[in-house]
Amino acid sequence: MRTNLLGCLTALGLAVGVQTAGAAPSLSSSVTAGPISRSVPVAHHNCGKGQYWVPSGYAKRGKYRVGHCAPR
């Protein structure tokens, strides 16, 4: 019983391994991907009078904050 289970698991592992290896893309051709654009779209923000824009990022103690208008 254990031998049959071990054989089935081995066969399943080999079948899955062979299937995923064949699905991997081959990048050895002469055609290469183009350069990755490093431009980031800029959000247009209009803060009211007496306020300024605070960009998004991590604040103190590691909490993430989205960009927002803050009073001066």
Side-chain angles (χ1 to χ4, degrees), residues 11-30:
L12 180 64
L14 288 174
V16 170
V18 169
Q19 183 180 9
T20 56
S26 175
L27 297 177
S28 63
S29 66
S30 62

Side-chain angles (χ1 to χ4, degrees), residues 48-72:
K49 193 171 188 179
Q51 294 184 335
Y52 70 101
W53 180 254
V54 177
S56 59
Y58 286 96
K60 292 181 182 176
R61 299 184 187 95
K63 186 167 185 174
Y64 185 78
R65 305 273 184 190
V66 295
H68 61 280
C69 291
R72 291 195 184 257

